[in-house]
Amino acid sequence: MIRVLLADDEGMIRSALAALLRLEPDIDVVAEAADGAQAVAAAVRLQPDVCLLDLEMPGLDGVQVTEQLNRTVPTRCVVVTRHARPGVLRRALAAGAAGFVPKSRSAHELAAVIRRVAAGERYVDPEIAADALSDERPPLTDRELDVLRAGRHGETTAQIARSLSLAPGTVRNHVSAVLAKLQVTTRQQAVLLAEERGWI
Amino acid sequence: MIRVLLADDEGMIRSALAALLRLEPDIDVVAEAADGAQAVAAAVRLQPDVCLLDLEMPGLDGVQVTEQLNRTVPTRCVVVTRHARPGVLRRALAAGAAGFVPKSRSAHELAAVIRRVAAGERYVDPEIAADALSDERPPLTDRELDVLRAGRHGETTAQIARSLSLAPGTVRNHVSAVLAKLQVTTRQQAVLLAEERGWI
DNA sequence: CCCCGGCCATGACATGTGTCATGGCCGTAG
DNA sequence: CTACGGCCATGACACATGTCATGGCCGGGG
């Protein structure tokens, strides 16, 4: 029997997947979690064989949970996400995920992935993997990504500068470099693009 | 037997809900759609009793589909959404939705809602309904909403002005009014807030 | 009728934002 | 060592953005 922990902040999909997985004869859903912190706590307590982690969750996201569990619990993490971009896949693998599945796949395929991962294999969605190979890593430098992140909700230059302990001019310079590299003309467009590609 | 059409762009949740609903003895899922256009086409062809429509879909969203079907097909629409805000509920009801359920509810409750709606009742999630009553409608004027919509992806003032046939100064003025009413200091924050509340 | 209040539109002014040229720092290649 | 290239940081300048005061338009009371 494969013991599975299921974490997703959307109650509807969580309950639906739990019900379906319980119908499988060899899978048992031993815990459900609605956010990252709950997932970590439950995983530590119950030591499930496989953790199914949604990427977008309040507090800790799926990748952060994977990272924590990998250091503390002998379990294998599968990251499930709506926005399956190469950048996201990279972050998940770097955090030690054993599986990566986009939510565009069917629930049925999920059970198959769980079995393979429980058996010790790694599983990465082939389509995203192909994208990731033919795609270069973020053309932005670390500092540029920092600035983008700090400004993702429309913060002003001065606020970003304070939060990163920089001169306002420096922030503007980084932003300017980003805009040039991404071929856009406003911060907001740069943020949208970077979010879409999983760079921040 | 209640004949149901299921529309959601996320394959995983669509397949999971379809599988679960098919387990109910009195419910039959006669069609699945991955976007609004498919949903309309299938509904016209199959005349289901109930249409379960995700709000966020590429092309036509759930509310737009509801609007179209209400004029052409004798079916009852239930809008399902991740972002269940009073503004969204209002739009859904205005479009003629017979039901409104947030994705935080469990899949099991969904079947109950389908039965009630199929029986001719209307169903609105009680929690959101309560919010909607204690909440005033958007404090923004029509034109201000237009400007916000036209600038939601970081378009420049000049672009917004052109797309609405206005002088740039006018656009700035509307934006300024919005920022004051919403108590924020940048366009992007205003857009985020308005999107969050379902005003645009 | 006239006044008033809301909404829309506009242009001048202040402030914040993007561009550019420059310099420091550090690791690598010659 | 020195030269070079990448990254980071900065300030001066041009431009876009937000603020403000003003005026036109329309509909609902006195």
Side-chain angles (χ1 to χ4, degrees), chain B residues 139-149 174-175 177-178 181:
Chain B
L140 305 179
T141 113
D142 292 350
R143 217 59 179 142
E144 285 161 359
L145 289 172
D146 287 343
V147 171
L148 262 192
R149 265 187 286 269
H174 284 308
V175 170
V178 169
K181 287 180 184 171

PDB file of all heavy atoms in Angstrom, chain B residues 139-149 174-175 177-178 181, chain C residues 8:
ATOM      1  N   PRO B 139     -16.461  51.220  -6.010  1.00  0.00           N
ATOM      2  CA  PRO B 139     -16.561  52.659  -5.829  1.00  0.00           C
ATOM      3  C   PRO B 139     -16.064  53.418  -7.055  1.00  0.00           C
ATOM      4  O   PRO B 139     -15.927  54.630  -7.010  1.00  0.00           O
ATOM      5  CB  PRO B 139     -15.644  52.906  -4.629  1.00  0.00           C
ATOM      6  CG  PRO B 139     -14.624  51.831  -4.705  1.00  0.00           C
ATOM      7  CD  PRO B 139     -15.309  50.642  -5.332  1.00  0.00           C
ATOM      8  N   LEU B 140     -15.835  52.702  -8.131  1.00  0.00           N
ATOM      9  CA  LEU B 140     -15.261  53.356  -9.312  1.00  0.00           C
ATOM     10  C   LEU B 140     -16.337  53.614 -10.367  1.00  0.00           C
ATOM     11  O   LEU B 140     -17.284  52.857 -10.493  1.00  0.00           O
ATOM     12  CB  LEU B 140     -14.173  52.463  -9.920  1.00  0.00           C
ATOM     13  CG  LEU B 140     -13.065  52.038  -8.950  1.00  0.00           C
ATOM     14  CD1 LEU B 140     -12.069  51.144  -9.650  1.00  0.00           C
ATOM     15  CD2 LEU B 140     -12.391  53.255  -8.369  1.00  0.00           C
ATOM     16  N   THR B 141     -16.151  54.659 -11.105  1.00  0.00           N
ATOM     17  CA  THR B 141     -17.096  54.975 -12.175  1.00  0.00           C
ATOM     18  C   THR B 141     -16.803  54.132 -13.424  1.00  0.00           C
ATOM     19  O   THR B 141     -15.745  53.533 -13.543  1.00  0.00           O
ATOM     20  CB  THR B 141     -17.032  56.476 -12.535  1.00  0.00           C
ATOM     21  OG1 THR B 141     -16.511  56.596 -13.850  1.00  0.00           O
ATOM     22  CG2 THR B 141     -16.158  57.225 -11.593  1.00  0.00           C
ATOM     23  N   ASP B 142     -17.733  54.093 -14.361  1.00  0.00           N
ATOM     24  CA  ASP B 142     -17.582  53.266 -15.557  1.00  0.00           C
ATOM     25  C   ASP B 142     -16.289  53.580 -16.299  1.00  0.00           C
ATOM     26  O   ASP B 142     -15.551  52.693 -16.702  1.00  0.00           O
ATOM     27  CB  ASP B 142     -18.765  53.491 -16.508  1.00  0.00           C
ATOM     28  CG  ASP B 142     -20.053  52.953 -15.914  1.00  0.00           C
ATOM     29  OD1 ASP B 142     -19.975  52.255 -14.887  1.00  0.00           O
ATOM     30  OD2 ASP B 142     -21.120  53.230 -16.472  1.00  0.00           O
ATOM     31  N   ARG B 143     -16.086  54.869 -16.488  1.00  0.00           N
ATOM     32  CA  ARG B 143     -14.906  55.279 -17.261  1.00  0.00           C
ATOM     33  C   ARG B 143     -13.623  54.884 -16.542  1.00  0.00           C
ATOM     34  O   ARG B 143     -12.646  54.488 -17.173  1.00  0.00           O
ATOM     35  CB  ARG B 143     -14.952  56.795 -17.458  1.00  0.00           C
ATOM     36  CG  ARG B 143     -14.444  57.259 -18.803  1.00  0.00           C
ATOM     37  CD  ARG B 143     -15.196  56.672 -19.951  1.00  0.00           C
ATOM     38  NE  ARG B 143     -14.661  57.191 -21.206  1.00  0.00           N
ATOM     39  CZ  ARG B 143     -14.515  56.495 -22.297  1.00  0.00           C
ATOM     40  NH1 ARG B 143     -14.850  55.213 -22.296  1.00  0.00           N
ATOM     41  NH2 ARG B 143     -14.044  57.042 -23.393  1.00  0.00           N
ATOM     42  N   GLU B 144     -13.629  54.988 -15.243  1.00  0.00           N
ATOM     43  CA  GLU B 144     -12.444  54.619 -14.473  1.00  0.00           C
ATOM     44  C   GLU B 144     -12.169  53.128 -14.641  1.00  0.00           C
ATOM     45  O   GLU B 144     -11.016  52.712 -14.791  1.00  0.00           O
ATOM     46  CB  GLU B 144     -12.649  54.979 -13.007  1.00  0.00           C
ATOM     47  CG  GLU B 144     -12.535  56.477 -12.745  1.00  0.00           C
ATOM     48  CD  GLU B 144     -13.169  56.924 -11.444  1.00  0.00           C
ATOM     49  OE1 GLU B 144     -13.733  56.079 -10.723  1.00  0.00           O
ATOM     50  OE2 GLU B 144     -13.117  58.131 -11.163  1.00  0.00           O
ATOM     51  N   LEU B 145     -13.217  52.326 -14.642  1.00  0.00           N
ATOM     52  CA  LEU B 145     -13.037  50.892 -14.861  1.00  0.00           C
ATOM     53  C   LEU B 145     -12.488  50.634 -16.256  1.00  0.00           C
ATOM     54  O   LEU B 145     -11.615  49.786 -16.447  1.00  0.00           O
ATOM     55  CB  LEU B 145     -14.367  50.162 -14.659  1.00  0.00           C
ATOM     56  CG  LEU B 145     -14.832  50.087 -13.206  1.00  0.00           C
ATOM     57  CD1 LEU B 145     -16.243  49.530 -13.124  1.00  0.00           C
ATOM     58  CD2 LEU B 145     -13.887  49.218 -12.393  1.00  0.00           C
ATOM     59  N   ASP B 146     -13.000  51.377 -17.248  1.00  0.00           N
ATOM     60  CA  ASP B 146     -12.484  51.224 -18.609  1.00  0.00           C
ATOM     61  C   ASP B 146     -10.981  51.448 -18.637  1.00  0.00           C
ATOM     62  O   ASP B 146     -10.230  50.666 -19.215  1.00  0.00           O
ATOM     63  CB  ASP B 146     -13.148  52.251 -19.553  1.00  0.00           C
ATOM     64  CG  ASP B 146     -14.590  51.892 -19.858  1.00  0.00           C
ATOM     65  OD1 ASP B 146     -14.966  50.727 -19.625  1.00  0.00           O
ATOM     66  OD2 ASP B 146     -15.331  52.774 -20.331  1.00  0.00           O
ATOM     67  N   VAL B 147     -10.568  52.536 -18.013  1.00  0.00           N
ATOM     68  CA  VAL B 147      -9.143  52.871 -18.023  1.00  0.00           C
ATOM     69  C   VAL B 147      -8.332  51.791 -17.323  1.00  0.00           C
ATOM     70  O   VAL B 147      -7.281  51.367 -17.809  1.00  0.00           O
ATOM     71  CB  VAL B 147      -8.910  54.245 -17.360  1.00  0.00           C
ATOM     72  CG1 VAL B 147      -7.429  54.505 -17.158  1.00  0.00           C
ATOM     73  CG2 VAL B 147      -9.530  55.348 -18.206  1.00  0.00           C
ATOM     74  N   LEU B 148      -8.832  51.308 -16.206  1.00  0.00           N
ATOM     75  CA  LEU B 148      -8.126  50.242 -15.491  1.00  0.00           C
ATOM     76  C   LEU B 148      -7.980  49.004 -16.371  1.00  0.00           C
ATOM     77  O   LEU B 148      -6.910  48.415 -16.475  1.00  0.00           O
ATOM     78  CB  LEU B 148      -8.892  49.851 -14.233  1.00  0.00           C
ATOM     79  CG  LEU B 148      -8.439  50.446 -12.907  1.00  0.00           C
ATOM     80  CD1 LEU B 148      -9.121  49.733 -11.764  1.00  0.00           C
ATOM     81  CD2 LEU B 148      -6.929  50.316 -12.776  1.00  0.00           C
ATOM     82  N   ARG B 149      -9.062  48.635 -16.998  1.00  0.00           N
ATOM     83  CA  ARG B 149      -9.033  47.447 -17.865  1.00  0.00           C
ATOM     84  C   ARG B 149      -8.021  47.635 -18.988  1.00  0.00           C
ATOM     85  O   ARG B 149      -7.239  46.745 -19.284  1.00  0.00           O
ATOM     86  CB  ARG B 149     -10.415  47.202 -18.475  1.00  0.00           C
ATOM     87  CG  ARG B 149     -11.257  46.226 -17.704  1.00  0.00           C
ATOM     88  CD  ARG B 149     -12.531  45.899 -18.462  1.00  0.00           C
ATOM     89  NE  ARG B 149     -13.484  47.000 -18.431  1.00  0.00           N
ATOM     90  CZ  ARG B 149     -14.416  47.143 -17.502  1.00  0.00           C
ATOM     91  NH1 ARG B 149     -14.524  46.260 -16.538  1.00  0.00           N
ATOM     92  NH2 ARG B 149     -15.238  48.167 -17.535  1.00  0.00           N
ATOM     93  N   HIS B 174      -8.180  59.982 -14.738  1.00  0.00           N
ATOM     94  CA  HIS B 174      -8.965  58.841 -14.275  1.00  0.00           C
ATOM     95  C   HIS B 174      -8.118  57.944 -13.388  1.00  0.00           C
ATOM     96  O   HIS B 174      -8.565  57.520 -12.324  1.00  0.00           O
ATOM     97  CB  HIS B 174      -9.485  58.039 -15.469  1.00  0.00           C
ATOM     98  CG  HIS B 174     -10.653  58.706 -16.161  1.00  0.00           C
ATOM     99  ND1 HIS B 174     -11.769  59.117 -15.486  1.00  0.00           N
ATOM    100  CD2 HIS B 174     -10.859  59.022 -17.455  1.00  0.00           C
ATOM    101  CE1 HIS B 174     -12.617  59.668 -16.340  1.00  0.00           C
ATOM    102  NE2 HIS B 174     -12.088  59.624 -17.548  1.00  0.00           N
ATOM    103  N   VAL B 175      -6.921  57.668 -13.839  1.00  0.00           N
ATOM    104  CA  VAL B 175      -6.043  56.829 -13.036  1.00  0.00           C
ATOM    105  C   VAL B 175      -5.861  57.446 -11.661  1.00  0.00           C
ATOM    106  O   VAL B 175      -5.950  56.771 -10.632  1.00  0.00           O
ATOM    107  CB  VAL B 175      -4.666  56.669 -13.719  1.00  0.00           C
ATOM    108  CG1 VAL B 175      -3.678  56.009 -12.778  1.00  0.00           C
ATOM    109  CG2 VAL B 175      -4.800  55.860 -14.986  1.00  0.00           C
ATOM    110  N   ALA B 177      -7.800  59.394 -10.027  1.00  0.00           N
ATOM    111  CA  ALA B 177      -9.009  59.243  -9.224  1.00  0.00           C
ATOM    112  C   ALA B 177      -9.078  57.837  -8.633  1.00  0.00           C
ATOM    113  O   ALA B 177      -9.410  57.643  -7.455  1.00  0.00           O
ATOM    114  CB  ALA B 177     -10.238  59.529 -10.085  1.00  0.00           C
ATOM    115  N   VAL B 178      -8.751  56.854  -9.470  1.00  0.00           N
ATOM    116  CA  VAL B 178      -8.778  55.467  -9.006  1.00  0.00           C
ATOM    117  C   VAL B 178      -7.807  55.270  -7.850  1.00  0.00           C
ATOM    118  O   VAL B 178      -8.171  54.688  -6.817  1.00  0.00           O
ATOM    119  CB  VAL B 178      -8.411  54.511 -10.162  1.00  0.00           C
ATOM    120  CG1 VAL B 178      -8.178  53.113  -9.627  1.00  0.00           C
ATOM    121  CG2 VAL B 178      -9.494  54.511 -11.215  1.00  0.00           C
ATOM    122  N   LYS B 181      -9.228  56.724  -4.693  1.00  0.00           N
ATOM    123  CA  LYS B 181     -10.339  55.961  -4.131  1.00  0.00           C
ATOM    124  C   LYS B 181      -9.883  54.640  -3.519  1.00  0.00           C
ATOM    125  O   LYS B 181     -10.430  54.194  -2.523  1.00  0.00           O
ATOM    126  CB  LYS B 181     -11.375  55.667  -5.217  1.00  0.00           C
ATOM    127  CG  LYS B 181     -12.201  56.883  -5.626  1.00  0.00           C
ATOM    128  CD  LYS B 181     -13.206  56.518  -6.710  1.00  0.00           C
ATOM    129  CE  LYS B 181     -13.973  57.746  -7.197  1.00  0.00           C
ATOM    130  NZ  LYS B 181     -14.799  57.437  -8.381  1.00  0.00           N
TER     131      LYS B 181
ATOM    132  P    DC C   8     -17.471  58.672 -15.750  1.00  0.00           P
ATOM    133  OP1  DC C   8     -17.874  57.457 -16.493  1.00  0.00           O
ATOM    134  OP2  DC C   8     -16.463  58.594 -14.665  1.00  0.00           O
ATOM    135  O5'  DC C   8     -16.987  59.767 -16.803  1.00  0.00           O
ATOM    136  C5'  DC C   8     -17.851  60.145 -17.865  1.00  0.00           C
ATOM    137  C4'  DC C   8     -17.264  61.340 -18.574  1.00  0.00           C
ATOM    138  O4'  DC C   8     -17.204  62.440 -17.643  1.00  0.00           O
ATOM    139  C3'  DC C   8     -15.825  61.129 -19.075  1.00  0.00           C
ATOM    140  O3'  DC C   8     -15.825  61.200 -20.499  1.00  0.00           O
ATOM    141  C2'  DC C   8     -15.024  62.254 -18.430  1.00  0.00           C
ATOM    142  C1'  DC C   8     -16.095  63.234 -17.981  1.00  0.00           C
ATOM    143  N1   DC C   8     -15.735  64.026 -16.771  1.00  0.00           N
ATOM    144  C2   DC C   8     -15.597  65.406 -16.889  1.00  0.00           C
ATOM    145  O2   DC C   8     -15.759  65.933 -17.997  1.00  0.00           O
ATOM    146  N3   DC C   8     -15.277  66.112 -15.780  1.00  0.00           N
ATOM    147  C4   DC C   8     -15.115  65.503 -14.597  1.00  0.00           C
ATOM    148  N4   DC C   8     -14.810  66.247 -13.538  1.00  0.00           N
ATOM    149  C5   DC C   8     -15.254  64.090 -14.466  1.00  0.00           C
ATOM    150  C6   DC C   8     -15.568  63.394 -15.569  1.00  0.00           C
TER     151       DC C   8
END
